[in-house]
Amino acid sequence: MALKRGLSGVNRIRGSSGGSRSVLVLLIFFCVFAPLVFFVGRGVYIDSSNDYSNASVKQNLDWRERLAMQSVRSLFSKEVLDVIATSTADLGPLSLDSFKKNNLSASWREVGVDTSFRHSENQTTPDVKSNILNEKRDKTSKDGSHQKVETPAKIHRRQLRERRREMRANELVQHNDDTILKLENAAIERSKSVDSAVLGKYSIWRRENENDNSDSNIRLMRDQVIMARVYSGLAKLKNKNDLLQELQARLKDSQRVLAESTSDADLPRSAHEKLRAMGQVLAKAKMQLYDCKLVTGKLRAMLQTADEQVRSLKKQSTFLAQLAAKTIPNPIHCLSMRLTIDYYLLSPEKRKFPRSENLENPNLNHYALFSDNVLAASVVVNSTIMNAKDPSKHVFHLVTDKLNFGAMNMWFLLNPPGKATIHVENVDEFKWLNSSYCPVLRQLESAAMREYYFKADHPTSGSSNLKYRNPKYLSMLNHLRFYLPEVYPKLNKILFLDDDIIVQKDLTPLWEVNLNGKVNGAVETCGESFHRFDKYLNFSNPHIARNFNPNACGWAYGMNMFDLKEWKKRDITGIYHKWQNMNENRTLWKLGTLPPGLITFYGLTHPLNKSWHVLGLGYNPSIDRKDIENAAVVHYNGNMKPWLELAMSKYRPYWTKYIKFDHPYLRRCNLHE
């Protein structure tokens, strides 16, 4: 029936003369020519866009686009339309790159990248496109030239890259959070294993003690003692008397073992049983008393107490070291007493030294040695003579105090220095050396100085100032070095030596050194910053700041060549008196002879080669052995003098080889290496 009605309709159309043609023409026009006219018209519009105003062009474009979209929407899916909307004229509406960047199908999806956000991006691309086109037209219409601008596709790709970076950053953060979570979970598991440790196994506190390291048992026992003290305090706080007694009993056992052992090899056989028993008690105490806050507070208090004890012990150790450095050992005191007794038993004729005519001969090599230590002075003289090429040219001028005058004479009468000349004097017989002439003597007699030196509670005033309270500063033997022309008025040059040195080479060439008009020839010690002037002098005082350079190089007393002629010409002793009077209240420098020496000979010191004089054997354990062996003079400056028990053992043989320990006097006083 439908077929018949269709045929009958066709026959009626064919039967009409003009109706059938018009219907056919309309059908062809809408199917073929209308889309063709749209695309051709759009191309013409683009080519002639410069001939119309921006407003009319935009209106026609919007109208044609809406008309085209209405016709095309029925032919393509939404995904294809999104691709066309984000494409450019450079790549074409169906570019392969556009398919790759859009989630068209599973075959085009990029591996490892989530594209769920792209639909929302594609919805905004028409606005972006219209804005870019408007900016491009504005620039073109303004200057009549085409400028390069970002296309929508480039903007879209940049947005994709930014989104990918954000996603990667989020993945890394998430990965980091996962890692932290894993570590926390692992720590929780470890803590569970600690809580469930076997009773009596002390690894609950230090797991590394399970390793079979050397002396691990000693370290474990010390840790047990610490924790036993902690739990003893907690047990006392919580009235756990039974547990407290048990902890104290085990603590005494462990402390007794530690007092007798310094390594695992020293531990008794019962040590392992004591370790096990202490571990069981600690585990029991942990179950009953453990509280993180209380244990932490107790450990902190113990640490603070230990720090205070360490500081107190350091202060006490410094004080004792200073005290030991100032004292004379019993064997040396014994030697001095025995020699003194025997000296005064001698007749006056036997107390004289030979070759006294050489004492004022300026053509010989003269040495000045001021000391109250018989053994130290003997080493200086003996080492100098043993290394001298011609001992007969050397003259030794020894000055000591009244107490040691007889001992010093008796020693060198019994042990004469070969062909060399020696003479011993008593500083108390220098009548010109009195308080009216010498400022330091006047200061030492003052009440303030006596209080400074002899105050009963001076050890509690601090060990830092203890070194300035050395009794040697009270003796004029220490200050006599500033009066050499008065002591030896007929000499032109003299080599000053300290009693804590040894001589290893012939010193005769020192008298041939040209001092270039300087008064003092000495080895400089400014290799380190603490050996410059600002270390010894108070540069906050205006007198010091105006006259001296804080970075000026210091030099060493101990081996000094003094030109006595130049000394008298420049009135060096007068300069010393001037500055010593200004320092009556110890505001320029602390007591001692090096600071006033630096001031007195400022600008008047000639530097000698460092190989002549090597210092530091009394405090520095890291002196190069080659430097010591190549030095002409080795100096034990510092507290660790070679005749004291606190001397450094590796430096002591350089000094002891010049002592004959089989000497009868040394044997009687128990002096040995």
Side-chain angles (χ1 to χ4, degrees):
M1 290 296 293
L3 181 58
K4 288 181 180 181
R5 283 197 293 270
L7 291 174
S8 64
V10 173
N11 290 333
R12 285 197 298 270
I13 292 172
R14 288 180 180 175
S16 62
S17 58
S20 60
R21 293 182 180 177
S22 60
V23 173
L24 184 60
V25 170
L26 289 173
L27 182 61
I28 295 172
F29 177 79
F30 282 108
C31 293
V32 177
F33 291 101
L36 185 61
V37 169
F38 165 72
F39 288 111
V40 172
R42 187 173 183 271
V44 172
Y45 162 75
I46 294 172
D47 293 336
S48 60
S49 61
N50 293 330
D51 298 334
Y52 298 95
S53 64
N54 291 336
S56 61
V57 170
K58 182 177 180 181
Q59 184 177 3
N60 293 334
L61 181 61
D62 293 342
W63 177 78
R64 286 189 176 91
E65 285 182 349
R66 286 196 300 271
L67 182 61
M69 290 301 294
Q70 290 175 1
S71 301
V72 175
R73 252 189 215 110
S74 61
L75 300 177
F76 300 101
S77 64
K78 186 177 183 302
E79 289 81 359
V80 176
L81 291 177
D82 290 340
V83 173
I84 295 174
T86 56
S87 301
T88 62
D90 298 332
L91 298 174
L94 297 178
S95 169
L96 180 61
D97 186 49
S98 298
F99 277 85
K100 286 183 177 180
K101 290 188 295 181
N102 290 272
N103 192 16
L104 185 61
S105 65
S107 61
W108 296 108
R109 187 176 297 118
E110 295 178 275
V111 179
V113 178
D114 186 8
T115 59
S116 61
F117 60 87
R118 292 176 182 166
H119 293 296
S120 61
E121 291 180 356
N122 293 334
Q123 293 175 4
T124 62
T125 51
D127 295 334
V128 176
K129 178 179 180 181
S130 61
N131 293 334
I132 296 300
L133 289 174
N134 291 335
E135 291 176 5
K136 183 176 181 181
R137 292 191 190 99
D138 292 340
K139 292 179 181 178
T140 304
S141 62
K142 183 176 180 179
D143 54 12
S145 61
H146 294 281
Q147 298 183 6
K148 185 177 180 181
V149 295
E150 289 187 341
T151 62
K154 292 182 179 179
I155 295 174
H156 180 65
R157 288 196 295 271
R158 188 175 69 250
Q159 291 174 349
L160 288 177
R161 287 194 297 270
E162 292 175 356
R163 291 295 182 91
R164 290 170 187 162
R165 292 192 191 101
E166 292 177 0
M167 291 172 57
R168 180 58 180 165
N170 292 333
E171 291 177 1
L172 292 175
V173 171
Q174 182 65 29
H175 178 70
N176 190 26
D177 293 339
D178 294 341
T179 302
I180 294 174
L181 184 60
K182 290 179 181 179
L183 292 175
E184 291 177 351
N185 292 333
I188 292 173
E189 292 299 326
R190 285 196 300 270
S191 66
K192 291 180 180 179
S193 64
V194 169
D195 292 339
S196 61
V198 179
L199 190 66
K201 192 175 182 181
Y202 191 63
S203 62
I204 56 175
W205 294 111
R206 287 187 59 174
R207 298 183 64 84
E208 62 267 24
N209 287 313
E210 295 178 357
N211 300 332
D212 295 331
N213 296 331
S214 59
D215 301 330
S216 59
N217 291 328
I218 287 287
R219 293 199 306 272
L220 176 57
M221 189 169 289
R222 289 171 180 169
D223 289 345
Q224 285 181 333
V225 168
I226 294 173
M227 291 312 302
R229 290 174 179 171
V230 172
Y231 281 132
S232 295
L234 296 181
K236 186 176 181 180
L237 181 65
K238 296 185 177 183
N239 295 323
K240 300 282 187 179
N241 296 326
D242 294 339
L243 184 59
L244 176 61
Q245 293 178 0
E246 193 173 359
L247 284 168
Q248 289 178 345
R250 297 301 178 189
L251 187 59
K252 289 181 180 179
D253 291 341
S254 298
Q255 289 176 334
R256 190 179 299 110
V257 172
L258 289 174
E260 300 173 355
S261 306
T262 57
S263 64
D264 284 357
D266 301 331
L267 291 174
R269 294 182 180 179
S270 61
H272 293 284
E273 296 180 0
K274 295 182 185 297
L275 280 170
R276 189 180 302 107
M278 176 66 90
Q280 292 175 353
V281 175
L282 289 175
K284 181 179 177 181
K286 177 181 179 297
M287 295 175 62
Q288 298 183 23
L289 302 173
Y290 183 77
D291 182 277
C292 184
K293 186 176 181 180
L294 291 177
V295 170
T296 303
K298 187 67 175 177
L299 288 171
R300 188 180 293 112
M302 291 174 61
L303 180 61
Q304 184 176 359
T305 302
D307 288 340
E308 293 176 356
Q309 290 177 350
V310 168
R311 284 194 294 269
S312 176
L313 290 173
K314 283 184 177 180
K315 184 177 179 180
Q316 185 179 4
S317 175
T318 304
F319 172 77
L320 293 175
Q322 295 286 348
L323 186 62
K326 299 171 187 177
T327 56
I328 298 295
N330 284 335
I332 297 179
H333 180 71
C334 167
L335 177 64
S336 179
M337 294 298 100
R338 288 182 177 274
L339 290 170
T340 300
I341 294 171
D342 292 346
Y343 174 75
Y344 287 106
L345 293 176
L346 292 177
S347 60
E349 294 79 11
K350 295 182 179 180
R351 297 179 185 176
K352 296 181 180 179
F353 290 99
R355 294 180 289 276
S356 58
E357 67 277 5
N358 294 334
L359 296 178
E360 296 180 351
N361 186 351
N363 297 321
L364 299 178
N365 301 331
H366 294 266
Y367 300 87
L369 176 61
F370 309 146
S371 175
D372 58 357
N373 188 326
V374 177
L375 189 63
S378 69
V379 170
V380 175
V381 174
N382 194 26
S383 63
T384 305
I385 297 303
M386 288 179 64
N387 292 285
K389 293 182 179 179
D390 188 359
S392 63
K393 293 184 178 181
H394 298 276
V395 180
F396 294 91
H397 302 267
L398 272 70
V399 180
T400 186
D401 55 13
K402 183 187 299 184
L403 182 63
N404 294 281
F405 177 73
M408 199 75 72
N409 276 280
M410 190 64 188
W411 176 265
F412 288 105
L413 288 172
L414 294 174
N415 306 280
K419 296 181 180 181
T421 303
I422 194 166
H423 179 60
V424 180
E425 295 180 272
N426 182 1
V427 68
D428 296 317
E429 294 179 358
F430 296 159
K431 302 303 180 182
W432 52 267
L433 196 63
N434 50 57
S435 58
S436 61
Y437 175 66
C438 180
V440 72
L441 269 179
R442 183 174 64 254
Q443 293 168 10
L444 290 174
E445 293 175 357
S446 66
M449 192 67 70
R450 290 178 182 177
E451 182 181 5
Y452 180 79
Y453 273 105
F454 301 107
K455 196 172 181 180
D457 59 345
H458 68 84
T460 62
S461 61
S463 58
S464 59
N465 293 326
L466 186 62
K467 62 182 178 180
Y468 303 119
R469 303 175 186 272
N470 198 315
K472 72 179 182 180
Y473 299 139
L474 294 171
S475 173
M476 277 309 298
L477 288 175
N478 199 46
H479 298 272
L480 195 60
R481 64 191 69 188
F482 293 103
Y483 300 95
L484 288 173
E486 283 86 346
V487 181
Y488 310 109
K490 295 185 179 181
L491 299 181
N492 297 328
K493 276 187 175 184
I494 195 165
L495 183 64
F496 173 79
L497 298 177
D498 266 342
D499 63 354
D500 56 350
I501 64 107
I502 57 170
V503 179
Q504 300 185 128
K505 293 183 180 180
D506 182 26
L507 299 182
T508 303
L510 278 174
W511 276 265
E512 300 174 1
V513 173
N514 185 4
L515 298 182
N516 298 315
K518 307 293 184 180
V519 180
N520 175 28
V523 171
E524 293 182 335
T525 58
C526 55
E528 303 291 343
S529 60
F530 57 84
H531 283 150
R532 299 185 182 272
F533 270 46
D534 59 351
K535 170 65 178 177
Y536 304 101
L537 305 178
N538 179 19
F539 275 86
S540 63
N541 188 289
H543 297 291
I544 298 294
R546 280 197 305 266
N547 292 280
F548 305 101
N549 179 8
N551 293 319
C553 187
W555 45 268
Y557 266 130
M559 188 207 71
N560 305 83
M561 177 61 70
F562 291 111
D563 187 336
L564 300 184
K565 282 187 176 181
E566 201 67 31
W567 183 307
K568 298 174 185 177
K569 187 186 301 183
R570 295 179 181 268
D571 190 20
I572 297 300
T573 304
I575 296 174
Y576 165 70
H577 283 174
K578 168 192 169 184
W579 286 104
Q580 191 68 51
N581 284 323
M582 295 173 63
N583 192 47
E584 186 170 358
N585 296 323
R586 300 182 303 279
T587 57
L588 304 184
W589 68 86
K590 298 295 183 181
L591 290 179
T593 53
L594 180 57
L598 297 176
I599 289 178
T600 302
F601 296 100
Y602 183 69
L604 300 174
T605 301
H606 174 75
L608 299 177
N609 190 289
K610 291 185 180 298
S611 63
W612 280 110
H613 189 187
V614 170
L615 301 101
L617 276 73
Y619 70 91
N620 186 3
S622 58
I623 302 176
D624 193 345
R625 183 177 178 181
K626 292 182 179 179
D627 292 339
I628 297 175
E629 294 176 351
N630 294 331
V633 171
V634 174
H635 196 172
Y636 290 84
N637 58 315
N639 288 332
M640 301 179 183
K641 302 299 183 184
W643 55 83
L644 299 175
E645 291 185 3
L646 49 82
M648 283 182 272
S649 57
K650 66 177 182 178
Y651 296 149
R652 203 164 184 269
Y654 297 106
W655 187 79
T656 54
K657 72 178 182 179
Y658 295 105
I659 299 176
K660 297 180 179 180
F661 287 98
D662 58 350
H663 194 282
Y665 279 87
L666 300 186
R667 286 204 310 268
R668 277 184 235 166
C669 291
N670 295 321
L671 267 167
H672 48 79
E673 289 189 68

